[in-house]
């Protein structure tokens, strides 16, 4: 059976190959026979018939080469469609015209007999995949920000989502839709630090809403078709500290990497106008942020010499509505001048 290091290498390789179908080898008959049933539902919990269900049965050999084979069939309207194959993992991809693609990588840990430290002859399971319907895909202000550097502590940096840059004098932006601020303590002599980057917004009623995945697999549609009306918090904090000056040994973050990986992304609301008497939202601009590389807004703080290199750097991918509706499905076109969507597979 594979050792743990080999399995970890496979997980990385399998993630790289998700969405592909370039597998054509004979499976290892010594592995568990995976018996997989797939039912496809819409958002109203109705079975969807005729969706294309593709299963990549995946494993590795001792040379750490990814091996696998593919089976495809259409979903049924009265129950699961079944697939069988010897493998360690399965990647399920479900597609249907008019719906957003969903994929799911399953590691089948239950196929291993812990007492015998070997595979069960056969492992059976059924999974349910939900497809999100395409309702109103349209051009949005969408942009992948590869790096924003915030060199000064205690200073507010506005970010213009329509331009895709920090607000002047730090960049070419004109209106602050999001605000970044770094606070905390630094020690130049020991290279110790304890800093927080806070994301905030320009108006009362604005806010951000972290979202954890609720469905099996990953939909190509990020978070959903419409931003929620309620639940926004005025700020979100990212904390990082190093107590000994050796960042890779004593670095602490909040949210932690594990907590970040459990987030699908963020909804946000900005430029909110409130009724002065009732406090209810009259109108606002909405958007969503994609957690890059399965992490919550990747960030890093450096306290390097020379001093010009010091600062907090962050990256994120966002989708921002061009109007005051809450509709946030992207058709893949961006309204940001020279907007970058390279490598972004979410909409």
């Amino acid at each position: 059976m594979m050792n743990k290091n080999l399995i970890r290498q496979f997980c990385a390789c399998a993630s790289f190959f998700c969405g592909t179908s370039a597998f054509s080898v004979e499976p290892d008959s010594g592995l568990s026979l995976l018996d997989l049933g797939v039912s496809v539902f819409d958002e109203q919990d109705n079975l969807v018939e005729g969706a294309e269900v593709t299963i990549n049965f995946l494993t590795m050999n001792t040379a750490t080469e990814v091996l696998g084979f593919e089976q495809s069939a259409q979903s049924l309207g009265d129950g699961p469609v079944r697939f069988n194959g010897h493998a360690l993992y399965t990647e399920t991809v479900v597609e249907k015209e008019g719906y957003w693609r969903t994929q799911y990588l399953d590691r089948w840990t239950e196929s291993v007999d812990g007492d015998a430290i070997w595979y069960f002859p056969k492992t059976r399971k059924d999974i349910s995949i939900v497809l999100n319907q395409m309702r109103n895909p349209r051009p949005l202000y969408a942009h992948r920000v590869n790096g924003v550097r915030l060199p000064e502590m205690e200073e507010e940096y506005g970010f213009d989502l329509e331009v895709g840059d920090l607000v002047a004098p730090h960049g070419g932006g004109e209106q602050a839709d999001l605000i970044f601020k770094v606070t905390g303590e630094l020690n130049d002599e020991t290279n110790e630090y304890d800093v927080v980057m806070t994301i905030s917004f320009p108006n009362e009623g604005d806010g951000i809403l972290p979202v954890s995945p609720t469905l099996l697999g990953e939909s190509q549609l990020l978070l959903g078709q419409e931003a929620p009306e309620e639940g926004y918090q005025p700020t979100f904090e990212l904390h990082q500290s190093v107590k000994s000056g050796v960042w890779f040994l004593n670095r602490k973050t909040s949210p932690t990497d594990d907590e970040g990986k459990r987030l699908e992304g963020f909804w946000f609301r900005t430029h909110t106008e409130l009724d002065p008497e009732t406090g209810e939202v009259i109108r606002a601009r909405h958007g969503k942020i994609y957690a890059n590389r399965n992490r919550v807004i990747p960030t890093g703080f450096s306290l390097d010499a020379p001093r010009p290199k010091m600062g907090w750097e962050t990256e994120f991918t966002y989708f921002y509505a061009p109007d005051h509706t809450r509709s946030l499905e992207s058709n893949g076109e961006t309204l940001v001048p020279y907007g970058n969507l390279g490598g972004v597979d979410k909409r």
Side-chain angles (χ1 to χ4, degrees), residues 14-32:
S15 297
F16 174 79
F17 281 99
C18 278
T20 69
S21 58
F23 301 109
S24 180
V25 299
E26 289 297 321
D28 184 349
S29 59
L31 299 174
S32 180

Side-chain angles (χ1 to χ4, degrees), residues 91-104:
E91 182 214 16
T92 302
V93 179
V94 184
E95 300 175 285
K96 185 176 174 63
E97 186 175 355
Y99 293 82
W100 295 100
R101 186 188 75 249
T102 294
Q103 63 185 51
Y104 171 58

Side-chain angles (χ1 to χ4, degrees), residues 25 62 91 108 117 119 134 136 141 184 187 194 254 293 330 343:
V25 299
T62 54
E91 182 214 16
W108 287 80
I117 316 179
Y119 305 105
M134 295 181 180
N136 183 33
Y141 289 102
N187 188 322
D194 190 349
S254 176
R293 297 195 297 270
S330 170

Side-chain angles (χ1 to χ4, degrees), residues 153 182-186 193-197 238-241 301 312:
M153 306 282 286
V182 181
T183 58
E185 299 178 355
L186 310 174
Y193 57 84
D194 190 349
V195 295
V196 173
M197 186 192 71
L238 295 127
H239 175 218
Q240 189 173 121
S241 67
F301 183 81
W312 187 291

Side-chain angles (χ1 to χ4, degrees), residues 21 23 27 33-34 36 52-57 68-74 81-86 91-93:
S21 58
F23 301 109
L33 177 64
L34 308 183
L36 176 62
E52 188 71 15
V53 181
T54 302
I55 310 296
N56 286 317
F57 289 89
F69 59 99
E70 179 183 287
Q71 295 179 10
S72 296
Q74 292 198 336
V81 56
R82 305 210 71 83
F83 303 86
N84 289 274
H86 290 90
E91 182 214 16
T92 302
V93 179

Side-chain angles (χ1 to χ4, degrees), residues 86-339:
H86 290 90
L88 283 174
Y89 300 76
T90 54
E91 182 214 16
T92 302
V93 179
V94 184
E95 300 175 285
K96 185 176 174 63
E97 186 175 355
Y99 293 82
W100 295 100
R101 186 188 75 249
T102 294
Q103 63 185 51
Y104 171 58
L105 180 64
D106 192 350
R107 289 171 170 80
W108 287 80
T109 55
E110 65 272 47
S111 68
V112 178
D113 185 341
D115 294 330
I117 316 179
W118 199 248
Y119 305 105
F120 289 112
K122 183 177 181 179
T123 306
R124 177 187 172 102
K125 73 163 65 172
D126 292 81
I127 63 173
S128 296
I129 299 293
V130 175
L131 290 181
N132 292 296
Q133 190 170 8
M134 295 181 180
R135 296 180 186 170
N136 183 33
R138 59 179 182 151
L140 301 174
Y141 289 102
H143 184 45
R144 181 172 186 169
V145 183
N146 287 325
V148 172
R149 195 163 186 81
L150 314 174
E152 298 297 330
M153 306 282 286
E154 305 292 342
E155 183 168 345
E156 290 189 343
Y157 293 83
F159 192 90
D160 189 326
L161 296 170
E162 294 188 6
V163 175
D165 198 2
L166 293 172
V167 170
H170 308 291
E174 300 177 359
Q175 175 178 260
D177 305 307
L178 307 176
I179 298 170
F180 303 115
K181 185 177 181 180
V182 181
T183 58
E185 299 178 355
L186 310 174
N187 188 322
D188 290 330
E189 295 182 359
T190 64
N191 278 350
E192 295 178 328
Y193 57 84
D194 190 349
V195 295
V196 173
M197 186 192 71
T198 302
I199 303 172
S200 62
F201 300 86
N203 300 297
E204 182 183 359
D206 295 348
I208 189 168
L209 175 60
V211 179
S212 297
T214 57
L215 301 175
L216 192 66
E218 292 190 12
S219 173
Q220 188 181 15
L221 176 64
L222 175 64
L223 300 181
Q225 293 94 340
E226 287 189 340
E229 294 187 86
E230 305 293 340
Y232 298 92
Q233 58 194 47
T235 61
F236 188 83
E237 293 184 347
L238 295 127
H239 175 218
Q240 189 173 121
S241 67
V242 168
K243 292 302 182 184
S244 74
V246 185
W247 69 269
F248 55 87
L249 294 177
N250 295 282
R251 176 176 171 269
K252 294 184 178 179
T253 62
S254 176
T256 65
D257 287 345
D258 285 343
E259 290 169 340
K261 289 176 182 178
R262 291 196 290 269
L263 288 177
E264 183 182 353
F266 302 81
W267 293 107
F268 65 86
R269 182 171 71 195
T270 187
H271 301 299
T272 305
E273 298 178 27
L274 300 176
D275 187 304
E277 296 183 359
T278 66
E280 294 181 353
V281 176
I282 299 175
R283 64 178 189 169
R285 297 281 295 276
H286 293 81
K288 54 187 177 181
I289 295 174
Y290 174 22
N292 288 352
R293 297 195 297 270
N294 296 319
R295 290 183 58 198
V296 50
I297 308 185
T299 56
F301 183 81
S302 60
L303 186 58
D304 298 331
R307 286 287 291 192
K309 290 186 178 181
M310 189 197 81
W312 187 291
E313 188 167 298
T314 185
E315 63 181 71
F316 57 100
T317 301
Y318 64 85
F319 300 85
Y320 185 48
D323 50 33
H324 291 89
T325 70
R326 293 183 292 112
S327 175
L328 277 161
E329 283 180 285
S330 170
N331 66 356
E333 300 177 44
T334 179
L335 300 174
V336 176
Y338 309 106

